[in-house]
Amino acid sequence: MAQAAAADTERHRRLAPDVVEALRDVGLMRCAAPAGLGAPQAPPADALAGAETMAQGDAATGWCVSIAMTTSLLAAYLPADGAAEIFGDPRSIAAGVWAPRGTARPVDGGVVVSGRWSFASGIRHADYFFGGCLVDDGRGEKDGVRARRSVGIPTAQLRILDDTWQTSGLRGTGSHDVVAKDVFVPTHRTLSLSDGPVIDAPLYRFPVFGYFALAVAAAALGNARGAIDDLLDLAGRKVPDGARRTLGEKAVTQAAVAQAEASLRAARALFYAAIEDAWRAARIGGTVTVDLRTGLRLAATHAARTSADVVRSMYDLGGGSAIYDDSPLQRRFRDAATATAHIQVSPSTWETTGRILLGVPTETDRL
């Protein structure tokens, strides 16, 4: 369904309504919320494989699934009544931006929030939005840093700036800017990731920031698999100008497809192996060590950036057929390049993980 709707999704810069309704029905968008709320509380590998599969059909759909499922993790960090309010409905979807682009001013019973957040993927189909905020309590900074909170706001109380998501790729995610102005948020809809989850379960012992990065990479992996599929379809029927053989019968195509397949399989294997290693530690109740968390970040960045290389290779093989707006390979190419711009899989993550591997003192709280 996502693949069939991909062109319309991109054209309208939001997921097709029937795709959203199907995702609500299967519960994939809140699959990381606690079982106590009637949610799947799915193991990371299962949830991420779901996002990857959706991205194989359409990268924007897989991306929105990734964002929603990672946001549903926050149910384990909220007070019980807040978690029930936001995630208790089995069809509820939440979006989120973790960057602290808002200000939260404490008042009786909660905080008053104002701010503007960019990259609010899926905001058009979300029921709630979690925005990162710096707390303005009039007491200044603690150790040079102001306290951070994430606040859950009904999307009906936000202003969505429809003209802000004019991008080359991932257009269908509808990642518009959103604005809150003096919105009251009760305490039970606020949380701090640094305080840790209020539910002790393997899923919530799994590194939350690592999960965020893996979710981005899962969408990238699915998009790369879809690009290979698209090229195989094209190669079986396209006869280049001046040639007698199909694109698929050319040696250069065969070698490039084989190399792309090997690269994608290797990246995917590392991706799920790193997840399994960290998941094993989370299941037995121990600490997911810095070494395991480093492995997650390495695997996520490698998967996202290798996926972009694979897509670029398939796009090149498509030749002139791939340059048109109605070519799925062109959309895959633009989506892949846009995905690698996400900070969770940006080149800066190589610096962080490299420092750790070299034994250089490194901040690891958000690893």
Side-chain angles (χ1 to χ4, degrees), residues 150-171:
S150 288
V151 299
I153 304 173
T155 52
Q157 297 181 12
L158 297 168
R159 184 160 61 98
I160 300 171
L161 305 182
D162 280 329
D163 61 346
T164 52
W165 190 241
Q166 304 294 327
T167 58
S168 60
L170 292 175
R171 296 172 182 171

Side-chain angles (χ1 to χ4, degrees), residues 25 35 47 62 86 105 107 132 152 174 185 251 302 331:
D25 289 342
I86 296 174
R105 177 170 53 84
V107 296
V185 181
H302 178 67
R331 185 177 63 250

Side-chain angles (χ1 to χ4, degrees), residues 32-54:
L37 296 175
Q41 196 173 314
D46 295 348
L48 293 163
E52 180 188 4
T53 299
M54 296 306 301

